[in-house]
Amino acid sequence: MIGRRISQTRAWNAGRRWLCPYMSSAPCPIPAAAPTEECGRHFSSYAKAPFSLTNNPVNFYIPYVVQRCQFSSNAVADLPMEGTVDVPLAQTGEGIAECELLKWFVQEGDKVEEFQPLCEVQSDKATIEITSRYQGRVSHILHVPGSIVKVGETLVKMAVEETQVPSVIPNNLEKEKPVDAKLNKYSTGGVLSTPAVRSLAKEHDIDINDVQGSGKDGRVLKEDVLKYAMQKGVIKDPSVTATATATVGELLHGEESCSYGSAEVAGLYEDTIVPLRGFQRTMVKTMSMAAKVPHFHYVEEINCDALAELKASFQTNNTEPGIKFTFLPILIKSLSMALSKYPMMNSCFNEESLEVILRGSHNIGIAMATPYGLVVPNIKNVQSLSILEITKELSRLQQLALDNKLSPADISGGTITLSNIGAIGGKFGAPILNLPEVAIIAIGRIQKLPQFTDDGNVYPASIMTG
Amino acid sequence: MPIPQTRNIGLPMMNLLRFKGLPILQQLHIEEQLLRTSSENWCIINDGTNDPTIVMGVSGKPAELLEIESVLRDQVPVIRRFTGGGTVIVDCGTIFATFICNKEAVPDLQPYPRPIMSWSSLLYGKVFQGIGDFHLRENDYVFGNHKFGGNAQSITKSRWIHHTSFLWDFDVRNMTYLKLPKRAPEYRSARGHLDFICCMKDYMPRSTFINKTVEATGTQFSLRSYPLEAIETGSETEFYPSTRFLTDEELEAAAAAGQ
């Protein structure tokens, strides 16, 4: 089954779109210069000079680490419920120790969206826009334009709502120290946890230090507290996280008046609220966006006898012990060969400019279900890899995915996705595009099915639906 | 739009703009506009600008960088551009080459100053292969330890620009308008301008350099020539560039304040 985005290329038009947010800042009192006649056009201009902020500074803290791409992430962390976060000047390149702050794009009190530019800094030869990791409100701007800010120093403080999580899968990165430091701050008596989890423990009269943490570095998670509480007999059903609203009394006695049952009894019949966090939250957003794209579905049954033979021959002629041969690497390589013939399927779509960018590398993403959620790491440059190399790389990514240790590079830069529904026993699925890719392939389980020859005889064949 | 060559299928698209003698202010305005409002990739080449002009980086301080008295006396125009970096004086002997790209345009390129600088040096490395011991030294393009090309960048949320002014030739007298900067690369070792820079004309003809640059760019991008009329007439001025001339008054004030 192939889902594909239908698109058309369009020549760049001469219309201008103004994506520049910084124009909203107030100009400073230095007189604007009129350009000379030489350029033959009138551009109104404004002076680019330091301007002072008038609002009161506010302090917020965000654990903020700039990674290679915007889709990097910090370790799974339930950030403080009422977050005030420090936004430091993140590392903008090796060896750069400090930058000059050039201008702010926001003022104190401004609401800020994720990835919205906050300010512009200069280091050596480059001016760099610093964007916000989180959604929130600017509370305290700590430096004025013209000042030199050291890498790591706080630039601005922001108020962050609730548990804001990064765009993609949390994983362990070298740069996650700041986040860990934040968690340490909230641990008293040595147990790593967050205020939300601590208050949950308190609710159930549990000493959090008694709870065995299953998170990273022995961090105590919500599930740990609930499990502990269940073991202790404090609550019956560990999946209950919301307050009870249903009444058992009504059901048992048929009375109209509401009475609140005990947690034990109420746990059997009340609603359960499962707040979506992390992966699931991200998946809702990305899938909703993908669902808006017009999808074209094509399903076919494919005779895989030759494929089965090839796999069998790899296994018998296996020169590398410890390598398990499956169908997937062969399918991945076949896909790459097909992409060389049909490069339009290996492209990405730029919605703003209505352009299709034909990607040079075949970075084939493989959807993987892990205990942490669905991840799609990709194998880079499949066009240059042998099936053996693909097998090894696939195995490496699978292991990292299971350990929740995929790096940003592993999960970004994909050009097409392969989803193996067959691995979990399905025959065929209707996959959703992994934007901004234009095609996704779902392959089902290979089954032995009866086929007919032209003269009506039945023979068995390995059939896969895709 | 020309039909792309077969070998180009799979490469990201890039528009190629070629100018000759375009005033540097106009070039910078176009660049700033394309960086901030376009979502396409661009390569801009300007073969020389018209009048000698001083171009300072976004946060350059005139009193530190310029001999303001001479500048005012000789009425040399001074521009503050939108990218970082140092001060240059450009004229008809300067060749400009600019890349404006989306962050994903170059696969696996991290959108930070050093990686972009490295990437550019690899591209120009192809242009100067086997010629004059070309390499990137700190942030400059050098032959040996003499600078012939200066770089500046601006990195935004989703795009970046890397532009270079190449000294194909220069007028020795023009260099006297510039002071020795406080912040200088280590390898300069306090050399004066004339001991520190060199001309590209001793190594390569102008047209060869430009053609080779276009060729090298074409190995990574699918280039298509963009009609100049579309750029020049398309200025509906919804966009206000920040690059501008500094007025005499501003220069005088800077000189007086000693900054």
Side-chain angles (χ1 to χ4, degrees):
Chain A
M1 156 83 92
I2 303 172
R4 191 197 154 165
R5 182 204 290 267
I6 300 162
S7 64
Q8 281 176 296
T9 55
R10 185 169 73 111
W12 188 75
N13 67 13
R16 299 288 183 269
R17 260 165 315 185
W18 187 346
L19 301 177
C20 176
Y22 67 86
M23 284 308 298
S24 59
S25 57
C28 85
I30 292 178
T36 67
E37 292 309 302
E38 284 177 31
C39 72
R41 261 178 304 175
H42 177 68
F43 278 98
S44 80
S45 56
Y46 67 97
K48 195 173 199 152
F51 63 90
S52 59
L53 301 159
T54 52
N55 297 3
N56 293 326
V58 182
N59 291 330
F60 288 93
Y61 297 79
I62 299 181
Y64 183 129
V65 179
V66 172
Q67 307 290 348
R68 292 169 67 165
C69 64
Q70 285 178 349
F71 295 106
S72 63
S73 56
N74 299 321
V76 179
D78 287 337
L79 289 175
M81 294 284 269
E82 295 155 11
T84 62
V85 207
D86 270 343
V87 179
L89 175 63
Q91 187 65 261
T92 52
E94 324 82 36
I96 294 176
E98 60 188 27
C99 294
E100 180 187 347
L101 177 65
L102 295 174
K103 66 151 97 75
W104 286 103
F105 300 136
V106 296
Q107 292 179 0
E108 286 169 0
D110 280 354
K111 207 162 163 261
V112 167
E113 296 299 319
E114 204 180 350
F115 305 133
Q116 182 178 331
L118 291 175
C119 63
E120 194 176 42
V121 301
Q122 183 188 217
S123 72
D124 284 347
K125 302 284 174 175
T127 66
I128 305 164
E129 267 183 25
I130 305 290
T131 56
S132 177
R133 267 319 272 284
Y134 298 104
Q135 193 187 44
R137 198 173 285 277
V138 177
S139 60
H140 188 179
I141 287 180
L142 296 175
H143 292 277
V144 292
S147 48
I148 304 292
V149 183
K150 294 208 187 323
V151 168
E153 219 180 307
T154 306
L155 272 174
V156 65
K157 303 193 181 190
M158 276 180 67
V160 183
E161 293 160 6
E162 246 205 57
T163 48
Q164 288 215 35
V165 279
S167 305
V168 278
I169 308 95
N171 58 48
N172 293 330
L173 302 165
E174 298 143 69
K175 294 209 173 123
E176 72 179 352
K177 278 202 199 119
V179 182
D180 279 342
K182 267 289 128 240
L183 287 172
N184 279 329
K185 249 191 156 186
Y186 293 98
S187 76
T188 56
V191 169
L192 276 180
S193 189
T194 65
V197 174
R198 284 177 194 284
S199 84
L200 181 67
K202 222 171 156 182
E203 237 177 77
H204 293 295
D205 258 329
I206 292 171
D207 183 353
I208 196 156
N209 294 307
D210 295 336
V211 180
Q212 183 68 30
S214 65
K216 189 188 171 290
D217 295 333
R219 186 185 315 148
V220 174
L221 306 175
K222 212 180 287 188
E223 300 82 6
D224 301 324
V225 169
L226 292 171
K227 207 158 67 172
Y228 183 87
M230 189 179 69
Q231 285 165 0
K232 282 268 158 178
V234 174
I235 52 173
K236 268 266 164 155
D237 185 0
S239 67
V240 172
T241 55
T243 53
T245 51
T247 79
V248 176
E250 239 180 73
L251 291 167
L252 290 181
H253 307 299
E255 285 170 8
E256 286 196 291
S257 62
C258 279
S259 59
Y260 291 99
S262 68
E264 279 188 27
V265 183
L268 296 172
Y269 300 103
E270 66 194 24
D271 291 346
T272 303
I273 297 175
V274 180
L276 293 185
R277 297 277 181 263
F279 292 97
Q280 291 174 315
R281 196 176 206 161
T282 309
M283 274 167 65
V284 168
K285 286 190 188 151
T286 51
M287 290 207 161
S288 303
M289 263 172 35
K292 291 185 190 148
V293 171
H295 277 62
F296 168 77
H297 298 289
Y298 178 79
V299 187
E300 181 62 273
E301 285 185 342
I302 303 157
N303 186 322
C304 292
D305 285 342
L307 181 65
E309 263 183 55
L310 187 61
K311 177 188 154 195
S313 88
F314 281 159
Q315 279 166 338
T316 36
N317 298 318
N318 186 3
T319 51
E320 302 230 4
I323 299 280
K324 188 174 167 217
F325 287 99
T326 61
F327 291 115
L328 196 50
I330 305 175
L331 292 169
I332 294 170
K333 186 62 185 174
S334 314
L335 175 59
S336 168
M337 292 166 71
L339 289 175
S340 301
K341 270 176 93 174
Y342 300 101
M344 192 59 117
M345 301 293 277
N346 191 57
S347 56
C348 61
F349 181 64
N350 185 325
E351 212 172 317
E352 274 170 16
S353 59
L354 285 179
E355 245 184 9
V356 176
I357 302 166
L358 303 175
R359 300 290 303 274
S361 319
H362 300 164
N363 299 339
I364 298 182
I366 310 293
M368 296 180 187
T370 75
Y372 309 96
L374 177 70
V375 299
V376 190
N378 60 84
I379 301 175
K380 304 272 194 292
N381 294 311
V382 175
Q383 75 275 11
S384 315
L385 298 179
S386 69
I387 293 179
L388 186 60
E389 286 166 329
I390 293 169
T391 308
K392 289 182 180 167
E393 176 66 4
L394 183 64
S395 171
R396 181 187 79 89
L397 291 171
Q398 277 165 334
Q399 193 53 51
L400 288 175
L402 286 173
D403 297 336
N404 198 14
K405 284 185 159 74
L406 287 166
S407 75
D410 292 330
I411 53 179
S412 63
T415 59
I416 192 169
T417 300
L418 199 54
S419 178
N420 189 3
I421 301 292
I424 55 173
K427 284 192 209 164
F428 89 105
I432 295 187
L433 284 172
N434 190 10
L435 295 182
E437 296 167 14
V438 302
I440 182 168
I441 301 121
I443 44 181
R445 196 160 47 89
I446 298 181
Q447 312 163 76
K448 210 62 161 200
L449 291 177
Q451 302 288 291
F452 284 97
T453 58
D454 289 338
D455 51 6
N457 290 324
V458 177
Y459 66 92
S462 298
I463 303 292
M464 172 173 73
T465 316
Chain B
M1 176 163 61
I3 298 166
Q5 309 278 335
T6 328
R7 66 182 167 83
N8 282 344
I9 288 175
L11 296 178
M13 297 289 230
M14 180 175 268
N15 298 313
L16 176 63
L17 275 174
R18 290 179 71 152
F19 298 104
K20 190 170 171 62
L22 183 72
I24 185 61
L25 181 76
Q26 211 163 331
Q27 177 188 334
L28 290 168
H29 279 165
I30 290 170
E31 288 180 3
E32 202 180 340
Q33 185 158 12
L34 291 176
L35 173 71
R36 303 215 192 277
T37 65
S38 165
S39 52
E40 304 193 344
N41 302 312
W42 298 84
C43 172
I44 299 164
I45 298 189
N46 185 14
D47 187 4
T49 186
N50 50 356
D51 296 329
T53 308
I54 293 170
V55 185
M56 291 198 311
V58 68
S59 63
K61 297 184 171 50
E64 278 178 21
L65 301 165
L66 311 178
E67 299 290 355
I68 297 185
E69 229 181 83
S70 329
V71 167
L72 285 169
R73 180 195 67 215
D74 299 340
Q75 284 291 289
V76 184
V78 178
I79 289 176
R80 191 194 293 288
R81 66 177 184 266
F82 67 102
T83 53
T87 311
V88 290
I89 179 159
V90 300
D91 57 23
C92 54
T94 316
I95 305 178
F96 302 90
T98 301
F99 293 99
I100 303 175
C101 290
N102 291 312
K103 279 187 169 168
E104 324 76 44
V106 180
D108 302 322
L109 178 66
Q110 299 179 56
Y112 296 115
R114 298 271 165 102
I116 295 171
M117 200 72 79
S118 287
W119 169 82
S120 75
S121 73
L122 292 176
L123 191 141
Y124 288 112
K126 289 190 191 141
V127 174
F128 296 109
Q129 201 146 29
I131 294 173
D133 187 26
F134 164 82
H135 50 271
L136 175 71
R137 191 96 186 243
E138 294 178 53
N139 295 316
D140 300 331
Y141 298 136
V142 298
F143 289 127
N145 67 350
H146 286 89
K147 172 179 175 176
F148 73 98
N151 295 300
Q153 301 167 335
S154 183
I155 300 167
T156 69
K157 175 175 149 186
S158 51
R159 289 160 72 66
W160 53 261
I161 178 172
H162 175 95
H163 57 193
T164 313
S165 54
F166 288 96
L167 293 171
W168 188 80
D169 192 7
F170 61 86
D171 188 337
V172 159
R173 291 167 297 177
N174 285 342
M175 295 303 155
T176 60
Y177 293 114
L178 306 181
K179 284 183 173 171
L180 213 64
K182 261 195 215 166
R183 278 188 81 175
E186 266 184 53
Y187 79 98
R188 181 163 182 161
S189 315
R191 288 178 277 169
H193 275 99
L194 302 179
D195 293 325
F196 172 54
I197 56 180
C198 68
C199 296
M200 207 204 299
K201 73 174 181 188
D202 298 333
Y203 296 88
M204 194 180 271
R206 280 178 106 114
S207 50
T208 307
F209 167 70
I210 293 174
N211 291 335
K212 285 185 127 190
T213 301
V214 171
E215 206 184 291
T217 310
T219 61
Q220 296 196 41
F221 296 92
S222 178
L223 285 173
R224 59 180 177 191
S225 285
Y226 198 83
L228 296 185
E229 314 77 55
I231 286 284
E232 283 167 7
T233 57
S235 60
E236 288 103 32
T237 58
E238 305 160 13
F239 174 76
Y240 299 95
S242 59
T243 303
R244 62 176 186 87
F245 286 111
L246 297 186
T247 60
D248 283 0
E249 291 77 24
E250 284 174 296
L251 291 171
E252 281 160 6
Q259 41 137 276

